[in-house]
Amino acid sequence: MDGGEDFARFVRTHMGALLKTAYLLTGNRDTAEELVQDTLVRLLPKWQRVEQAEVPLAYVRRCVVNRFINDRRRPASRELVTDLLPETPDRHDIASEVSDRDLVWRLLASLPARQRAALVLRFFQDLSDEESAEYLQCRPGTVRSLVSRALSTLRGWSAESDSPGFFESTG
Amino acid sequence: MDEIERLVRASLAEHAAEAPPGDVAAERFLADLSQGHRPARRPSVRRWLTPLVAAATVVALVVALYLLDWRQNGHTPPAGVTSSPRPSAPTSPTLAPTHSTAAPVTSAPTTPSSGTSTTTTSLPAGPVPAGMRVADLTFVSPNQGFALGTGQCLDGSGKRCAALLRTDNGGQSWVGVPTPVGANVPDTDPTSCQAPCIEQVRFADAEIGYAYGPSAFFMTTNGGATWTAEPGGADALETLNGTVIRIIDSGTGCPGPCNIGIQVASNGSTSWQSLGLPGGQRNAASVVLTRAGHGAYLLLGQHTSGGAPNQISTLYVSANDGATWAFRGEPCPQPAAGVEVDSVDAAAAPDGSLTIACQPRQAGLAGGFTMTSTDGVHSFDTGAGRITRGPVSLVGAASSRVLFLVADTLYRSTDGGASWTPVRSGPGAAIFIGFETATTGRVIAQPAPGHSGSATVWTTTDAGQTWTPYTFG
């Protein structure tokens, strides 16, 4: 079995999962596809290293997350590209669970890259603090801090809202 | 868990479903990589160049080492194989069939849950008849496929009989599979096929398959070990994503097929749902059905021999595996009143694009060309290249950029139809072309005039750069 076939098989098997992660990170379908393709092309010359990883998908996903964060650090990449404008929501329109989730989605786009990545890893990938820390190359305590600050930021917008209690903790 | 955390979890789970479909993106990416192109959606060339060159170099080196190792280890191809196609990895269920009633095609490979040649029961495996002439192919994965045709009857009578073959190794070797009892397959003269006449075959996976013609329909759920006759027939049929779409007609009242209709069923089910066909015509001279991703495309062609300019083709499009259809009219551009450009064939590629082969009917016009849509047939890009040596009859698509046209010989384009190059060391003219993935495809070579011998099936595993023949004994 040659490396080209292994690579193609990995792409066909895991492209969907990688795109989901990338889309949740970037909030944009084209940017998500670009992020995953860019990561795969850069990994291809050293694909043996990927295959030697305990979980190749986790290895590649970690590279996707790191690339997302690093891209966002560059001055040229600081402008956030999203399908929806990350505008401050009109809270008068918020009336249902569906709109709440949509509002959260838009607000997520306004978070710093590491905070958003931490939320995706913890709340979508269901990784532990320790596992998320490996992805983000930091300590578990830092992950907890990133998640806490992200949730606090999201909650803060509710404080400005005249829909009291919308984002308040239920216990 | 507080309310905001619950909402974040719910929002992420909900919006993850909006991510681009992985199977289509994977095939598009691999196709771009194999061609040395950067993927179409990428805006930054500079960021791609260095890693892409490095990646291409590695791929070329790996392939070269593989071939060297293969030769040095003294591997010999099976009898009858000049050179064997390298088995490919099982793929996700996207496929680029191309089809007309006159020219068969590879079908969609398999259901999402299977996607490979893995089987749960013992599949039938009998002898391959002598003088096998393949008329139709269907592959459920790059390794596993079926070939329908005719061969010398096994009773030694010297007559020709219907024959069905299966390969489990990408076409390197084949075994015989029972055909429906009493069924006939057109040999050299399609008009001489006696009922029940089956002209094409499609398999959803290793076990569920369909053998059919306009007035005959058989289904198997055990890999061809036994077949059940079902009412009616099919002008075209494709299976993908667990569903099968067939095109039926009433068969009377016009040159035919007449009163065309669409039916949809789950794989292996005998319960068919009839669907309405919006707008447009109901009669046709040719029927082309092709599927990729969740898209399904039906092209109804008209009689070109009459020369009537108003005999236009009609394209119908479904974006949900055939559940609903939209009328899109004649896809090929009509340059002026009284001048007709026929839509002669259609092929959906594994990357989700659709390519139409267009052929001007009147003499003196520039030759055949292609039109490709990458946005669900909302718009088409017209290829600037023209094939002037004979009318085009078939189109194949490995991707939106790597295209094939069959005219006097097989032509290949790597720039979406902007330019065409004859495939020199390949099958020549063909009666069938289809791609299972962005890189793996098949062609049934057109027999030489007056030649009644075996047909040759050609395989490519590099998007048509090179082709390997398999000639049946």
Side-chain angles (χ1 to χ4, degrees):
Chain A
M1 184 67 67
D2 70 49
E5 287 190 1
D6 289 341
F7 177 78
R9 182 186 297 115
F10 179 92
V11 169
R12 290 185 170 115
T13 303
H14 298 301
M15 179 64 92
L18 293 170
L19 283 173
K20 277 185 170 59
T21 301
Y23 179 66
L24 295 178
L25 291 171
T26 64
N28 179 278
R29 292 164 61 96
D30 288 349
T31 310
E33 201 165 331
E34 180 186 351
L35 174 63
V36 172
Q37 291 173 351
D38 191 42
T39 303
L40 288 170
V41 166
R42 288 171 188 276
L43 286 174
L44 180 53
K46 47 187 176 186
W47 195 247
Q48 276 190 327
R49 188 186 304 175
V50 176
E51 293 180 318
Q52 288 166 359
E54 189 174 347
V55 182
L57 173 60
Y59 184 101
V60 176
R61 182 178 280 137
R62 186 166 64 189
C63 293
V64 168
V65 172
N66 285 328
R67 181 136 205 96
F68 164 72
I69 293 173
N70 291 335
D71 279 355
R72 291 279 294 270
R73 282 180 178 144
R74 294 173 187 155
S77 303
R78 280 181 185 158
E79 184 177 352
L80 187 63
V81 180
T82 66
D83 287 333
L84 298 169
L85 290 175
E87 60 190 11
T88 304
D90 176 6
R91 287 167 175 84
H92 295 285
D93 294 334
I94 301 170
S96 69
E97 167 77 14
V98 172
S99 61
D100 288 351
R101 293 199 300 269
D102 188 57
L103 171 63
V104 168
W105 175 247
R106 283 184 285 159
L107 295 179
L108 284 171
S110 299
L111 292 174
R114 280 170 65 82
Q115 289 185 24
R116 179 165 178 149
L119 292 184
V120 170
L121 294 172
R122 287 285 289 110
F123 297 153
F124 179 72
Q125 304 292 346
D126 272 330
L127 300 182
S128 65
D129 289 338
E130 290 72 20
E131 291 168 327
S132 300
E134 289 184 21
Y135 274 71
L136 298 173
Q137 298 176 331
C138 63
R139 292 178 300 178
T142 305
V143 173
R144 286 190 285 272
S145 174
L146 288 168
V147 170
S148 175
R149 272 186 286 156
L151 295 180
S152 178
T153 300
L154 295 176
R155 233 178 257 115
W157 277 308
S158 76
E160 302 169 5
S161 167
D162 55 2
S163 299
F166 172 65
F167 278 153
E168 289 180 357
S169 169
T170 56
Chain B
M1 182 188 306
D2 69 9
E3 179 65 4
I4 184 62
E5 179 181 329
R6 189 187 67 78
L7 283 171
V8 169
R9 286 181 181 274
S11 178
L12 291 173
E14 178 182 301
H15 285 88
E18 299 170 0
D23 50 358
V24 172
E27 295 303 334
R28 180 168 55 225
F29 172 65
L30 292 171
D32 286 336
L33 208 57
S34 70
Q35 295 302 309
H37 294 146
R38 70 181 180 86
R41 289 177 179 273
R42 303 184 49 78
S44 169
V45 177
R46 284 174 297 172
R47 289 171 56 196
W48 260 83
L49 195 55
T50 302
L52 189 59
V53 169
T57 304
V58 169
V59 169
L61 189 59
V62 165
V63 170
L65 289 174
Y66 175 88
L67 292 175
L68 186 62
D69 179 65
W70 190 77
R71 302 276 186 202
Q72 288 179 339
N73 284 329
H75 291 183
T76 54
V81 181
T82 306
S83 177
S84 302
R86 186 158 48 96
S88 302
T91 67
S92 57
T94 54
L95 177 37
T98 194
H99 165 66
S100 72
T101 49
V105 253
T106 33
S107 74
T110 182
T111 55
S113 57
S114 52
T116 71
S117 60
T118 303
T119 58
T120 54
T121 60
S122 178
L123 296 175
V128 176
M132 178 72 188
R133 276 200 292 269
V134 178
D136 194 18
L137 285 173
T138 177
F139 272 76
V140 300
S141 74
N143 285 336
Q144 191 166 55
F146 296 82
L148 177 70
T150 60
Q152 292 182 16
C153 301
L154 297 176
D155 61 6
S157 64
K159 298 180 180 177
R160 294 193 68 81
C161 291
L164 182 62
L165 309 179
R166 187 187 73 248
T167 178
D168 298 316
N169 53 16
Q172 296 181 68
S173 61
W174 298 80
V175 295
V177 176
T179 55
V181 175
N184 298 298
V185 175
D187 195 18
T188 54
D189 180 7
T191 63
S192 66
C193 183
Q194 296 183 348
C197 179
I198 54 177
E199 299 179 4
Q200 294 182 296
V201 63
R202 294 289 181 272
F203 272 76
D205 54 31
E207 297 170 342
I208 299 175
Y210 306 87
Y212 59 93
S215 303
F217 198 87
F218 296 87
M219 184 174 73
T220 179
T221 57
N222 52 17
T226 59
W227 293 86
T228 304
E230 303 288 341
D235 298 311
L237 180 150
E238 297 295 347
T239 174
L240 188 64
N241 301 326
T243 66
V244 55
I245 302 172
R246 70 174 177 179
I247 309 304
I248 60 172
D249 71 83
S250 67
T252 58
C254 74
C258 309
N259 300 318
I260 289 172
I262 300 176
Q263 292 187 326
V264 179
S266 300
N267 283 345
S269 169
T270 58
S271 177
W272 293 87
Q273 178 190 3
S274 295
L275 303 174
L277 204 55
Q281 65 202 36
R282 293 290 186 277
N283 306 326
S286 64
V287 176
V288 179
L289 177 66
T290 182
R291 299 176 67 179
H294 292 290
Y297 311 93
L298 171 62
L299 179 64
L300 301 182
Q302 289 302 308
H303 290 275
T304 59
S305 57
N310 61 350
Q311 294 293 296
I312 62 171
S313 304
T314 311
L315 180 65
Y316 297 88
V317 178
S318 171
N320 50 17
D321 290 315
T324 59
W325 293 80
F327 172 68
R328 293 288 164 80
E330 163 74 85
C332 292
Q334 307 303 308
V339 178
E340 172 67 7
V341 178
D342 294 315
S343 305
V344 295
D345 196 16
D351 64 2
S353 61
L354 176 71
T355 296
I356 306 285
C358 302
Q359 176 62 50
R361 193 180 302 177
Q362 282 81 2
L365 296 178
F369 59 98
T370 55
M371 300 182 61
T372 300
S373 175
T374 58
D375 60 1
V377 195
H378 293 291
S379 63
F380 280 96
D381 291 327
T382 303
R386 295 291 184 270
I387 302 296
T388 57
R389 295 176 63 87
V392 299
S393 57
L394 294 176
V395 64
S399 67
S400 63
R401 280 193 285 276
V402 181
L403 305 175
F404 300 83
L405 278 176
V406 175
D408 61 318
T409 188
L410 180 65
Y411 293 84
R412 179 173 185 255
S413 171
T414 59
D415 51 17
S419 60
W420 295 93
T421 305
V423 177
R424 298 294 182 194
S425 300
I431 59 172
F432 164 98
I433 180 168
F435 277 81
E436 298 113 73
T437 71
T439 52
T440 302
R442 323 279 170 174
V443 158
I444 301 176
Q446 174 98 53
H451 178 70
S452 59
S454 303
T456 301
V457 174
W458 294 73
T459 297
T460 178
T461 57
D462 55 10
Q465 294 182 67
T466 58
W467 294 85
T468 303
Y470 183 100
T471 301
F472 293 92

